[in-house]
Amino acid sequence: MSHLAARLWRHRGISGSLLLTPPMGWFVFIYLPALVVLLITAFWTVNSFTGVIERDWSLDNFVYIFSSHTYRDIILRTIVMAAAVTITDVVLAFPVAYYCARMASARIRILLFLLMLLPLWSMFVGPMYAWRIILADQGILNGLITSVGLSPLSISYSNWAVWIVFSYMWLPFVVAPTYAALERIPESYLEASGDLGGRSWRTFRKVIMPLAVPGVIAGSIFCFSLTLGGYIVPSLLGGPGSDLLGNVIFANVGAANNLPFAAALGIVPVVVMAVYLFFARRLGAFDMM
Amino acid sequence: MNATNAVSDNSSPEDSVIVRLQAVRKLYGDMVAVESLDLDIRRGEFFTLLGPSGSGKTTTLRMIAGFERPSGGHVELDGVDITDVPPFNRDINTVFQDYALFPHMSVAKNLAYGLEAKRLPRKDINQRVDDALRMVHLEDHAGHLPGQLSGGQQQRIALARAVVNQPRVLLLDEPLGALDLKLRQHMQVELKRIQQEIDTTFIYVTHDQEEALVMSDRIAVFNKGRIEQMGEAVELYERPASEFVANFLGTSNLIDLDGKRVMIRPEKIRLLVGTEARPADSWHEQAATVQQKVFLGPSIRYLVRLECGTELLALEQNVTGFSNASAIMRGSRVRVAWSRDSVYEIPDTNR
């Protein structure tokens, strides 16, 4: 045993490869091939009479996606939804993360994290139905609104409902990295800013914000990509006019049985994410890693 | 306001008080960090708060900076009560122990930070940043990020970032602690030069007694949240007010002599061999055995045992080099001698 430990100590490379083998194996042998198959499938078509996949190279799927109003709208709606949810979550997450990182006692911090992570621990579908009850026309939210004398909202089974529930679901994914970035800022930086005449706003703008940006962007990447691919929320809380890429792809795989078309649609979020990551990198989001 | 007048009327400008702590105390829950402290720091002096960790020296500095609020008492700057003034409104700047340089800003941006907060014209900011960089010999590094600098360079930038604001008082919280010995000694001289050049009051916190001796005009020795003794270096060294001060500043022999508790500094004890006579007849002389000999380079340290069993440290200049090497060895019979002036009776500290 000690012999093995000594050998590992002498050859650091071996320890490194041992640690990396399982995830790398998964990545190389499962994830990448799946992606390649997706890419290839997207250039095939389905015979509309027989329902058989025809393995001839063609751009038909993409031409159809980008020439059809319906699909262009869905893509645009998905991107706008992902952006809206991301902005909402960043705005909501920052104060919470700041409070947890720099003001809360250890006990309060743990309690707040528990509350935030709770929706992720419960079965995913449970909270969805809770939100249906809350947002329904005769639901809890409208009950509260009418009780203070305002006219009720009609947001159930709409883009509003999808936006609210997505924002709720992905909030912890933005809070966690933002918290990590804020927690890493030494107290002495804030003291130095004050010492040099910087009031709270200046300290926030010039010291805290720039140092928190990498964390915020990391969180936004989670949030944006999760929304791009989310299909349960639009399926259960959306209605007419709130189809997103995720549930449309799901419908094409299942109901329509058009796998090549679903694959072509599936390429879209991959490309959008690549563009997003490119700009995040330009903003310096990965410099601090 | 009356206090302000009293200060400016009664003292000459160079002797006037710039920072005054009046009955300042700091509690953390039940723990007393600083016990009712009275302290006057004079304009333009290099004042050092010296003490072991947990003695309250850093807490005192942080109360002057405004990072900690005193639990009681008052802090005055130039006769004005600043106890409730936040740090950003105090004309005081700090050099932090970890430097606290903003890692995402260039050196020049770091230096300009305080001046921009004061909304100085861009031209003046650039001028002062250039001057400050020249002062610390880093004018070529304006565009670097702090992470690209060595520890010593970062330390100098931290100093320049504070000095560039031309504060009335500069606070330094163990600024040399992270540097290696050679660099630290170099920076001690450098700090003193800069302090004299810009003619600003420096308040310096350290646990390193040598550092305190090298730079300070006056030193306050802290112990358990109180000032044990305050004065010039030579005063503290030759006339320590307590055993704590005698031990904390330099090395000392604390022995019972004729029923009194006295201190003899090791370098004041001479070792005599053979027929060697004592320097003067008035000197006290006694037989002893060498227990231990340590070669330190510039000096040699001996541990000797008197016949009564008391052990003493003696420090001799290494003036003879190799020829001395065999003269006194472990086990040698020698005589120790000291001038009667070198024997200092420590005041009874059980006050």
Side-chain angles (χ1 to χ4, degrees):
Chain A
M1 198 59 220
S2 67
H3 184 71
L4 177 66
R7 179 168 289 213
L8 285 178
W9 182 81
R10 279 195 295 273
H11 304 277
R12 304 285 165 92
I14 298 179
S15 327
S17 12
L18 280 178
L19 289 172
L20 284 182
T21 301
M24 281 304 281
W26 179 84
F27 187 79
V28 172
F29 294 110
I30 298 181
Y31 183 76
L32 276 184
L35 209 62
V36 170
V37 168
L38 178 78
L39 193 67
I40 294 170
T41 316
F43 292 96
W44 294 342
T45 47
V46 164
N47 188 306
S48 47
F49 291 112
T50 58
V52 174
I53 292 176
E54 296 180 342
R55 300 182 176 186
D56 303 320
W57 298 104
S58 115
L59 286 172
D60 286 1
N61 291 326
F62 294 100
V63 172
Y64 183 67
I65 289 170
F66 289 102
S67 61
S68 138
H69 269 293
T70 318
Y71 284 105
R72 278 212 310 253
D73 283 354
I74 288 170
I75 291 170
L76 194 67
R77 186 187 301 130
T78 307
I79 292 173
V80 170
M81 178 63 74
V85 170
T86 304
I87 291 168
T88 309
D89 275 352
V90 166
V91 170
L92 290 177
F94 201 92
V96 178
Y98 188 87
Y99 180 81
C100 286
R102 309 215 64 97
M103 294 160 94
S105 64
R107 241 173 132 166
I108 303 253
R109 190 183 312 140
I110 290 167
L111 188 74
L112 282 173
F113 268 100
L114 277 177
L115 285 175
M116 274 185 292
L117 292 174
L118 214 55
L120 299 179
W121 292 345
S122 51
M123 203 173 65
F124 202 78
V125 184
M128 296 300 113
Y129 284 97
W131 275 105
R132 277 167 87 142
I133 295 166
I134 294 169
L135 299 176
D137 285 348
Q138 309 290 321
I140 295 170
L141 183 67
N142 272 342
L144 281 172
I145 288 173
T146 47
S147 73
V148 293
L150 296 168
S151 52
L153 302 168
S154 179
I155 56 173
S156 64
Y157 308 110
S158 71
N159 285 319
W160 293 108
V162 175
W163 170 65
I164 290 171
V165 177
F166 264 138
S167 302
Y168 162 80
M169 290 305 295
W170 309 146
L171 186 61
F173 292 92
V174 185
V175 172
T178 307
Y179 165 84
L182 287 170
E183 203 242 3
R184 264 202 315 211
I185 303 175
E187 188 67 24
S188 65
Y189 290 5
L190 311 189
E191 286 180 352
S193 175
D195 187 73
L196 294 164
R199 291 149 198 276
S200 351
W201 176 237
R202 189 180 183 78
T203 304
F204 179 77
R205 220 159 32 91
K206 299 277 188 177
V207 181
I208 297 173
M209 266 310 279
L211 293 174
V213 158
V216 171
I217 293 189
S220 83
I221 291 170
F222 289 137
C223 183
F224 193 85
S225 64
L226 286 168
T227 312
L228 275 187
Y231 69 95
I232 298 181
V233 175
S235 311
L236 293 181
L237 285 133
S242 57
D243 274 338
L244 298 182
L245 270 175
N247 62 313
V248 170
I249 292 171
F250 183 70
N252 267 290
V253 175
N257 199 24
N258 191 342
L259 205 58
F261 189 71
L265 278 175
I267 299 286
V268 176
V270 174
V271 172
V272 171
M273 262 334 281
V275 172
Y276 193 92
L277 290 173
F278 174 77
F279 281 106
R281 204 196 138 162
R282 288 284 292 272
L283 280 170
F286 309 123
D287 293 353
M288 294 288 193
M289 280 180 172
Chain B
M1 271 298 106
N2 285 336
T4 315
N5 292 335
V7 169
S8 49
D9 287 348
N10 297 344
S11 344
S12 59
E14 58 267 41
D15 261 10
S16 66
V17 172
I18 188 155
V19 173
R20 168 167 287 167
L21 304 187
Q22 276 181 326
V24 167
R25 53 207 300 269
K26 180 71 187 176
L27 310 169
Y28 294 106
D30 289 339
M31 216 270 292
V32 182
V34 173
E35 238 175 74
S36 188
L37 199 73
D38 290 296
L39 181 59
D40 282 357
I41 293 163
R42 297 179 200 136
R43 194 178 308 279
E45 80 176 330
F46 198 121
F47 192 92
T48 297
L49 314 179
L50 173 68
S53 56
S55 61
K57 56 189 193 308
T58 297
T59 306
T60 304
L61 193 84
R62 290 173 59 80
M63 287 193 285
I64 300 173
F67 304 140
E68 305 279 352
R69 282 189 51 122
S71 311
H74 296 278
V75 181
E76 281 179 21
L77 177 66
D78 263 334
V80 180
D81 190 334
I82 57 163
T83 316
D84 295 322
V85 175
F88 49 80
N89 283 337
R90 294 185 186 201
D91 199 0
I92 292 175
N93 287 117
T94 307
V95 179
F96 291 83
Q97 187 169 14
D98 63 355
Y99 313 143
L101 297 173
F102 304 128
H104 56 296
M105 295 182 199
S106 70
V107 163
K109 269 281 173 200
N110 265 282
L111 261 65
Y113 192 88
L115 304 173
E116 281 169 359
K118 282 186 202 142
R119 302 188 185 288
L120 259 64
R122 179 44 61 184
K123 201 162 63 72
D124 297 0
I125 293 180
N126 292 340
Q127 183 61 48
R128 277 165 73 167
V129 167
D130 287 349
D131 290 347
L133 280 175
R134 244 194 312 279
M135 182 190 71
V136 296
H137 312 304
L138 285 173
E139 53 268 49
D140 298 337
H141 295 71
H144 287 65
L145 288 175
Q148 298 169 314
L149 304 179
S150 72
Q153 290 171 330
Q154 290 183 22
Q155 203 286 320
R156 274 140 71 195
I157 294 303
L159 175 68
R161 185 178 69 174
V163 166
V164 76
N165 301 289
Q166 300 171 0
R168 280 193 259 188
V169 176
L170 192 74
L171 309 179
L172 302 103
D173 183 10
E174 309 224 13
L176 308 182
L179 305 181
D180 62 52
L181 181 63
K182 272 269 187 303
L183 195 54
R184 200 156 66 223
Q185 288 171 339
H186 171 73
M187 280 308 295
Q188 290 167 5
V189 178
E190 193 69 1
L191 270 178
K192 186 71 185 173
R193 171 185 73 80
I194 289 168
Q195 191 253 338
Q196 283 162 347
E197 192 177 306
I198 64 176
D199 193 23
T200 301
T201 312
F202 276 34
I203 305 180
Y204 194 97
V205 160
T206 184
H207 63 266
D208 182 337
Q209 45 101 8
E210 195 186 309
E211 202 162 284
L213 296 179
V214 170
M215 295 184 285
S216 318
D217 295 314
R218 286 197 304 152
I219 301 169
V221 181
F222 275 70
N223 183 29
K224 294 180 185 156
R226 286 199 334 260
I227 292 183
E228 197 94 6
Q229 190 178 7
M230 180 158 62
E232 291 175 19
V234 63
E235 212 176 312
L236 301 188
Y237 190 78
E238 303 294 347
R239 299 280 175 265
S242 64
E243 287 194 23
F244 177 82
V245 176
N247 277 322
F248 200 76
L249 258 93
T251 319
S252 50
N253 294 300
L254 294 169
I255 54 173
D256 291 313
L257 203 71
D258 309 330
K260 289 180 211 145
R261 193 71 171 152
V262 301
M263 175 193 85
I264 312 173
R265 293 287 186 186
E267 70 277 9
K268 289 177 176 132
I269 299 176
R270 289 285 310 275
L271 259 60
L272 308 173
V273 268
T275 55
E276 198 178 341
R278 53 192 158 175
D281 284 345
S282 59
W283 279 47
H284 172 86
E285 188 186 301
Q286 207 167 334
T289 316
V290 175
Q291 302 284 307
Q292 201 182 75
K293 176 180 176 180
V294 180
F295 180 73
L296 298 170
S299 54
I300 300 163
R301 193 177 64 207
Y302 299 96
L303 179 69
V304 299
R305 186 196 287 271
L306 303 180
E307 271 159 356
C308 58
T310 306
E311 290 190 329
L312 291 178
L313 279 175
L315 198 68
E316 293 236 299
Q317 282 286 306
N318 179 12
V319 283
T320 46
F322 269 115
S323 61
N324 162 278
S326 55
I328 305 175
M329 311 241 295
R330 204 168 142 231
S332 295
R333 301 281 300 161
V334 294
R335 286 167 293 134
V336 289
W338 55 75
S339 155
R340 290 180 200 280
D341 297 340
S342 304
V343 180
Y344 169 70
E345 187 184 341
I346 302 223
D348 188 8
T349 44
N350 303 329
R351 27 182 164 166

